[in-house]
Amino acid sequence: NYTIMNMKGYFVIHPTVGVIKTTGQPFDREKQEYYSLLVKAQDVHDPENQGLTVVNIVVLDVNDNSPVFVNLPLHALVTTNSERGTMITKVHAVDQDSGESGFVRYELVRGSGELFGISETTGEVHLKQQMTQPGVTHSLTVAAVDGGRPPYSSHQQLNIKVVAAEGPIFTEMIFKFTVAEDAAYGTNIGHL
């Protein structure tokens, strides 16, 4: 006689054949990817004669999540003296799926494609032409598309404002700092 000693909600075992089946309760790999069942086999004629084993079950991923943009809203500045090829900003999206379904690529789907480009793999937005008019804001729509079948995607607006080169200019277009999660109040994390 076969019995599952734990995890009663997701799996059942045929008591005389030992076939393990699902109960129909839905799985969510992003919440729990592995299950370990403790299974007991017991001799029906001699209940003291029994054995235990562990059955490990892996939940395989399906493409059930769309990419999600982080660090919203998406805004950037570009100066009138920025040269072609200058990286203006970097967009980033995450997808909770694994494997190809979790791989994210980027594309511009609307707005000023002749002025701006985007790296499909890194999400870096770069300048294709030099800007001449300060005060103009270009509104682009960026898509993050996963590698699943069928692919899921999400769209986000990116506003890029052109500013005059004569004003204050930062030494970098993007600064990156780190901070420890237990940093004390007033801890310096960087200098602009």
Side-chain angles (χ1 to χ4, degrees):
N1 187 38
Y2 297 96
T3 309
I4 295 176
M5 306 300 291
N6 62 346
M7 301 300 296
K8 305 270 187 199
Y10 290 95
F11 306 98
V12 293
I13 191 166
H14 191 280
T16 58
V17 180
V19 173
I20 298 172
K21 295 183 178 183
T22 62
T23 63
Q25 188 163 339
F27 296 99
D28 188 348
R29 188 212 51 90
E30 288 77 24
K31 290 183 181 173
Q32 186 166 352
E33 188 171 359
Y34 303 100
Y35 293 87
S36 289
L37 307 180
L38 180 62
V39 178
K40 177 174 78 171
Q42 187 175 34
D43 187 329
V44 292
H45 300 295
D46 181 7
E48 297 297 318
N49 190 10
Q50 57 185 323
L52 294 173
T53 191
V54 174
V55 178
N56 291 317
I57 299 171
V58 177
V59 178
L60 300 177
D61 192 33
V62 296
N63 190 32
D64 58 350
N65 292 288
S66 296
V68 176
F69 282 95
V70 296
N71 301 322
L72 298 176
L74 301 177
H75 293 284
L77 297 175
V78 62
T79 62
T80 53
N81 67 346
S82 295
E83 298 178 6
R84 288 180 63 197
T86 300
M87 185 181 80
I88 300 164
T89 190
K90 182 176 181 177
V91 298
H92 184 67
V94 293
D95 192 307
Q96 291 184 334
D97 292 316
S98 66
E100 287 294 313
S101 295
F103 175 76
V104 178
R105 65 181 170 82
Y106 304 94
E107 55 188 55
L108 288 179
V109 292
R110 190 176 44 163
S112 302
E114 69 283 354
L115 301 176
F116 305 98
I118 190 167
S119 168
E120 185 176 276
T121 56
T122 66
E124 293 177 350
V125 178
H126 61 274
L127 193 58
K128 290 170 86 175
Q129 292 184 26
Q130 190 168 4
M131 302 286 105
T132 57
Q133 258 189 310
V136 175
T137 298
H138 297 275
S139 183
L140 313 176
T141 301
V142 181
V145 183
D146 70 21
R149 301 274 182 245
Y152 285 13
S153 65
S154 60
H155 297 78
Q156 189 64 46
Q157 185 171 333
L158 167 62
N159 292 314
I160 301 174
K161 184 172 184 173
V162 181
V163 295
E166 295 80 35
I169 299 175
F170 286 101
T171 57
E172 301 289 332
M173 291 301 278
I174 298 173
F175 288 86
K176 185 175 184 178
F177 301 117
T178 59
V179 63
E181 66 179 329
D182 62 350
Y185 173 79
T187 300
N188 289 334
I189 62 166
H191 186 140
L192 304 180

